[in-house]
Amino acid sequence: MKIDLKLQKGGFTLNAKAHWPDKDMTVIAGPSGAGKTSLLRACVGLDRAHGDVVFAAQAMQDRQSFVPVAQRRMAWVSQHDDVFAHLSVAQNFAFAMRFAAPGGAMIEDVASHFGLADRMGQNAGALSGGEKQRLILARALLSNPRLLALDEPFGALDAEARHALLGLLTGFCKARTLPVLFVSHDLDTLTRLADFMVYMRGGRIVAQGPLNACLLDEELPFRRREDACVVLPAIAQGYDAANQLNALDVGGVRLLVPGAKMPKGEGQRLRLRAGDISLSRARHGDSSVLNILPVVVRGVEQASDNGLPPGLVNVALALGEQSVLARITAKSAMELQLAPGEELFAQIKASALVGG
Amino acid sequence: MNAADIVSQIWQPLRLSVQLAGVSTIILLMLCLPLGWVLARAKGLWRVFAEAFLTLPLVLPPTVLGFYLLLMLGPNGPFAPLHLVFSFWGLVVGAVVFSLPFVLRPIQNAFEGIAPSLLESAASLGAGPWQVFFNLAMPMARRGIVSAAIMGFAHTLGEFGVVLMIGGDIDGKTRVLSVAIYDAVERLDFALAHWLSGGLLAFSFAILLLLSVLNRRGAAV
């Protein structure tokens, strides 16, 4: 999507210019009050901003024209409970189907994908909170949109339910190559979902790029957070059933990650927290850490750099073809005398697979 | 006076009152549904003015309303060619103006109670403004709409001042229940006044009871 938008709203000014892929998952991130929701609303056509929006090589709005929201085929899911409470679950779905362009998903398939198949006759207002979220998402997908727009998706759900629903969402959208544009300030959600990031501050877009580049961007807060992390594409290569370990190929490097068996050859997202990586000059054979891998130091962020927790430094590393971040104490960094270009061993303690 | 006399004296004004209230309520609904929808979603200064103006009939004495309506509809007014004064349709115009806030308010409140994000979600699914209105807003506001219709009907049934000002007291044409009661009292026909007043009282109470039951049931769902 290519945008150049200006919008005045009370004392707030949105002035956003950006260009991101029309495929995959794009997150609009930033601190609260940055204008994330305003930007999402303007992209979908809920608010009329000045300027241009081009999606899939079609002008959604420019100087002369404005495609109304109902004709954009951009299904929007707000932060609120927007079930049509006077209708049954099936009628909620039927409502979306009435306007759906041909070739979309079938009600039965979507209902069973989102675990609502046995709720069809039930009044939508009587569903549980989690079921309502699934209903709203399923309904949006049934309208056969060209883009799914989510505002802080599933923020009301507990972590477990949210992870499950994000997994279902990813599965559906990847299978149908449906692009998703979503707003989130939650690092966990955006590392699970996003491929591309647009970062906003004070109504402007201050950075944009592939997820990992943004997580490592020195201008952005992510690398200084206590839970700083990177997300790497990984491909399942084999499974050690006895030890319940998946062998993953991460940009030419082999990593072992515990968990249920991943189908061989399937793409995964592997999240590596900076705090879970430690460094040493020698390969220790007597460690409890499974993954000890050669890395190359790219740079050391000084302890005096603002925003880092006191006494800690970030070490940027090359792990195979990928960039990762290790969070170690300033004392260790000094004792190891780290310098760019040095070859070390990284011990990667634990890591999480965060979806396909 | 025997029972047959009383029945015949009640029947004409009762029929007229119900007719007037029914016709006015239908017209009021047709006016207030779009008006309430627009006001509920409107922003800015003109909404404030429109709301104040449309609430005027609530606070003005009916005689003031009736006086202005008489000027407007009368032989020297802009609507003189319609010959509405002292006619049934003149009463309808008066009743519509007089009862407007009673119908508009519950409808507007009901529409305002629908979350904007819900309607926006529906639009993003591909539903146009008319489909959103008829398929979502109307059914979701149905309780408010039913309340509004009942309020409009009951309120029109009891109106007196406006009717007297622009309709007068013509038997079978503009003599509605409330006017007939006034008439009966003036003639010291207390038996008739009792029957009419008691009937109206019972009817009004029944309607408010119905309204309360409807609201209660709606809240339980």
Side-chain angles (χ1 to χ4, degrees):
Chain A
M1 194 181 289
K2 194 174 172 186
I3 57 156
D4 183 359
L5 290 169
K6 287 182 183 62
L7 180 69
Q8 195 81 38
K9 230 182 183 179
F12 172 79
T13 311
L14 178 75
N15 190 347
K17 204 171 171 175
H19 190 180
W20 61 81
D22 284 334
K23 59 184 179 68
D24 298 337
M25 312 240 179
T26 303
V27 63
I28 303 173
S32 53
K36 305 187 292 291
T37 295
S38 299
L39 178 62
L40 186 72
R41 291 179 60 92
C43 289
V44 173
L46 289 167
D47 291 327
R48 190 165 185 166
H50 294 288
D52 306 313
V53 174
V54 180
F55 176 68
Q58 280 178 8
M60 292 291 126
Q61 71 174 90
D62 54 29
R63 252 173 211 291
Q64 294 90 32
S65 64
F66 182 86
V67 179
V69 55
Q71 285 156 37
R72 290 197 182 188
R73 293 182 57 202
M74 295 179 173
W76 180 68
V77 175
S78 83
Q79 301 176 41
H80 307 286
D81 161 16
D82 291 327
V83 296
F84 304 149
H86 64 298
L87 300 176
S88 70
V89 173
Q91 286 169 324
N92 268 265
F93 290 158
F95 184 91
M97 288 297 270
R98 280 178 55 182
F99 310 108
M106 305 301 291
I107 288 185
E108 301 75 39
D109 298 340
V110 174
S112 68
H113 183 81
F114 287 97
L116 291 165
D118 57 345
R119 291 278 186 276
M120 295 298 272
Q122 204 161 326
N123 190 283
L127 297 178
S128 73
E131 287 171 331
K132 281 181 180 172
Q133 292 284 342
R134 283 186 268 149
L135 164 63
I136 293 166
L137 187 59
R139 192 180 64 190
L141 294 169
L142 277 169
S143 73
N144 193 14
R146 298 193 306 163
L147 175 81
L148 181 64
L150 308 170
D151 192 356
E152 298 280 3
F154 328 129
L157 300 183
D158 61 69
E160 200 177 330
R162 190 170 63 241
H163 295 168
L165 193 44
L166 289 173
L168 292 176
L169 171 68
T170 315
F172 188 95
C173 294
K174 292 262 156 124
R176 296 193 155 255
T177 60
L178 171 65
V180 178
L181 177 62
F182 71 104
V183 163
S184 183
H185 68 267
D186 177 41
L187 187 63
D188 180 59
T189 299
L190 71 86
T191 51
R192 282 169 189 275
L193 222 51
D195 300 302
F196 198 88
M197 183 189 289
V198 174
Y199 193 86
M200 296 187 78
R201 202 180 279 145
R204 293 174 169 273
I205 291 167
V206 294
Q208 55 179 310
L211 176 66
N212 224 16
C214 285
L215 291 175
L216 292 167
D217 191 330
E218 301 199 5
E219 300 299 316
L220 300 183
F222 300 107
R223 62 183 289 143
R224 283 185 288 276
R225 288 174 60 127
E226 201 190 326
D227 52 357
C229 63
V230 295
V231 176
L232 304 178
I235 296 164
Q237 291 205 310
Y239 191 62
D240 173 358
N243 296 308
Q244 295 183 293
L245 290 170
N246 284 292
L248 302 171
D249 174 52
V250 184
V253 176
R254 192 179 149 93
L255 268 160
L256 295 173
V257 175
K261 184 179 178 181
M262 295 290 164
K264 199 173 172 183
E266 191 166 285
Q268 294 287 330
R269 302 162 74 93
L270 181 71
R271 183 168 65 198
L272 295 182
R273 286 188 197 280
D276 290 338
I277 301 179
S278 56
L279 298 171
S280 66
R281 290 218 169 264
R283 181 194 285 269
H284 295 289
D286 55 352
S287 166
S288 70
V289 176
L290 272 178
N291 297 300
I292 301 176
L293 298 161
V295 289
V296 180
V297 176
R298 283 190 170 158
V300 182
E301 204 165 5
Q302 288 312 309
S304 58
D305 286 353
N306 53 6
L308 266 179
L312 297 171
V313 296
N314 276 336
V315 184
L317 304 165
L319 171 69
E321 305 153 8
Q322 306 287 346
S323 297
V324 300
L325 211 55
R327 174 74 48 83
I328 61 174
T329 60
K331 184 175 186 299
S332 310
M334 210 158 69
E335 283 169 6
L336 282 167
Q337 293 183 317
L338 297 177
E342 261 186 292
E343 292 178 14
L344 296 170
F345 289 96
Q347 305 187 327
I348 302 173
K349 256 181 291 191
S351 37
L353 284 166
V354 287
Chain B
M1 195 190 304
N2 60 38
D5 266 350
I6 288 184
V7 167
S8 79
Q9 289 202 50
I10 292 174
W11 173 241
Q12 279 284 4
L14 177 69
R15 202 193 57 173
L16 201 58
S17 275
V18 171
Q19 243 170 28
L20 176 63
V23 170
S24 304
T25 303
I26 290 167
I27 292 174
L28 277 166
L29 284 178
M30 293 190 329
L31 272 178
C32 292
L33 282 170
L35 199 58
W37 177 243
V38 171
L39 281 176
R41 297 167 57 76
K43 296 178 187 106
L45 206 60
W46 77 267
R47 170 185 172 153
V48 181
F49 275 99
E51 276 181 358
F53 180 73
L54 293 168
T55 313
L56 272 179
L58 203 65
V59 292
L60 282 179
T63 42
V64 172
L65 281 179
F67 175 65
Y68 283 121
L69 281 169
L70 194 60
L71 289 184
M72 302 273 278
L73 307 179
N76 299 318
F79 300 103
L82 298 175
H83 300 293
L84 288 172
V85 174
F86 304 124
S87 77
F88 176 76
W89 288 101
L91 291 189
V92 170
V93 172
V96 165
V97 172
F98 183 54
S99 298
L100 187 87
F102 291 86
V103 178
L104 180 62
R105 200 32 67 110
I107 287 180
Q108 189 184 334
N109 285 347
F111 283 146
E112 278 169 0
I114 304 173
S117 65
L118 188 145
L119 302 170
E120 288 170 335
S121 300
S124 83
L125 298 176
W130 292 103
Q131 287 145 342
V132 169
F133 179 73
F134 284 109
N135 294 324
L136 290 179
M138 289 266 287
M140 294 189 103
R142 66 194 183 283
R143 271 178 51 214
I145 297 170
V146 171
S147 295
I150 294 175
M151 284 299 287
F153 189 89
H155 194 249
T156 305
L157 212 56
E159 89 167 27
F160 175 69
V162 178
V163 168
L164 202 63
M165 292 290 279
I166 57 178
D169 181 12
I170 304 168
D171 190 12
K173 205 169 160 200
T174 63
R175 184 184 292 162
V176 296
L177 273 177
S178 55
V179 176
I181 293 167
Y182 177 73
D183 211 42
V185 174
E186 267 208 321
R187 285 188 278 112
L188 299 178
D189 185 352
F190 276 41
L192 183 63
H194 264 302
W195 277 106
L196 292 171
S197 300
L200 206 54
L201 182 77
F203 182 75
S204 301
F205 182 69
I207 277 195
L208 291 177
L209 207 62
L210 176 70
L211 207 59
S212 160
V213 168
L214 279 177
N215 280 337
R216 206 163 272 273
R217 209 171 43 181
V221 168

